[in-house]
Amino acid sequence: DIVMTQSPDSLAVSLGERATIKCKSSQSVLYSSNNKNYLAWYQQKPGQPPKLLIYWASTREFGVPDRFSGSGSGTDFTLTISSLQAEDVAVYYCQQYYSPPYTFGQGTKLEIK
Amino acid sequence: QLQLQESGPGLVKPSETLSLTCSVSGGYSSSSSYYWGWIRQPPGKGLEWIGTIYFSGTTYYNPSLKSRVTMSGDTSKNQFSLKLSSVTAADTAVYYCARGQGAVSPFDYWGQGTLVTVSS
């Protein structure tokens, strides 16, 4: 199984500041034939299902604000929120869909400082 | 707007079989055109992919659960189902159904989830 490890486990950022969450996979999720990284980011607010934010490591899902961005390749990935808003308080998960079982990171809890 | 709704018993006894159904409605919801998955989340914990089904009959299961999982679908009803046998307290979780654009894709639409508790 591909193990997904996120850091940090929790993060407190001031409103309007940048938030950065890391995700590392135990093996590459880059498929060489199409040069795509099979990595997604989700946001989960309390009592709600996860919401897809980013796929192919850096493509924003329709309707996701452009303050959310994804980057990275191979085994190291980053989710960045450029200017934290109050509604961004949530737990964020990365997921690899390169190879079954499709595993998730343990989650990063983002709070307001 | 596509909607997914999980349904089934909220309480299952140990050693019995957990059975859930996901009903798909709204938008372009032709269930035969997409892949449909089950994901679970124990209370206060992270997400675990259980499996994915395509209505051609193709299924992909998490190896850690494969011996206990069966997924099936009914395109005429726009429903798909999950059965998990020989449950224990470790199977207590919120169970989500979700849609994938392909066999290898993230999940772009999710149900609200249903809590299943395994207890005698």
Side-chain angles (χ1 to χ4, degrees):
Chain A
D1 297 5
I2 298 177
V3 178
M4 308 299 290
T5 304
Q6 293 179 226
S7 60
D9 289 333
S10 63
L11 180 64
V13 175
S14 300
L15 290 172
E17 296 299 306
R18 179 186 300 263
T20 301
I21 299 170
K22 303 281 189 183
C23 175
K24 188 175 184 66
S25 57
S26 61
Q27 65 187 74
S28 177
V29 298
L30 173 63
Y31 193 39
S32 56
S33 66
N34 60 11
N35 202 36
K36 287 188 173 183
N37 288 282
Y38 286 56
L39 188 285
W41 289 97
Y42 298 86
Q43 174 194 65
Q44 187 177 33
K45 297 181 179 180
Q48 296 185 18
K51 174 187 175 183
L52 178 63
L53 297 176
I54 303 278
Y55 56 97
W56 302 131
S58 61
T59 302
R60 260 190 312 275
E61 175 72 336
F62 180 77
V64 173
D66 60 7
R67 64 180 181 273
F68 291 91
S69 63
S71 62
S73 185
T75 61
D76 293 281
F77 300 91
T78 301
L79 175 69
T80 301
I81 306 172
S82 60
S83 177
L84 189 70
Q85 305 299 302
E87 61 264 32
D88 300 334
V89 169
V91 179
Y92 292 84
Y93 294 93
C94 60
Q95 181 214 3
Q96 65 81 17
Y97 48 100
Y98 178 87
S99 172
Y102 303 124
T103 45
F104 294 83
Q106 80 277 15
T108 295
K109 186 175 184 179
L110 178 58
E111 299 174 313
I112 304 295
K113 184 186 291 183
Chain B
Q1 177 75 4
L2 186 70
Q3 292 187 323
L4 288 77
Q5 180 68 56
E6 304 89 351
S7 60
L11 181 65
V12 180
K13 289 183 169 56
S15 81
E16 295 189 344
T17 296
L18 176 161
S19 296
L20 295 174
T21 297
C22 181
S23 299
V24 181
S25 62
Y28 177 64
S29 59
S30 174
S31 56
S32 61
S33 303
Y34 297 94
Y35 287 73
W36 305 91
W38 289 95
I39 302 97
R40 69 180 183 179
Q41 184 172 36
K45 296 187 178 181
L47 299 161
E48 180 181 33
W49 172 74
I50 300 170
T52 297
I53 183 170
Y54 185 62
F55 283 110
S56 65
T58 305
T59 54
Y60 310 84
Y61 297 146
N62 190 325
S64 69
L65 300 168
K66 187 175 183 178
S67 64
R68 299 193 291 133
V69 171
T70 303
M71 295 175 64
S72 61
D74 186 336
T75 55
S76 66
K77 295 182 178 179
N78 271 353
Q79 291 180 335
F80 59 105
S81 66
L82 168 70
K83 293 186 185 299
L84 182 65
S85 63
S86 304
V87 297
T88 70
D91 295 310
T92 294
V94 174
Y95 285 75
Y96 295 102
C97 58
R99 188 188 79 170
Q101 294 277 355
V104 185
S105 72
F107 295 106
D108 58 356
Y109 280 91
W110 294 63
Q112 284 299 306
T114 186
L115 174 62
V116 178
T117 301
V118 178
S119 176
S120 55

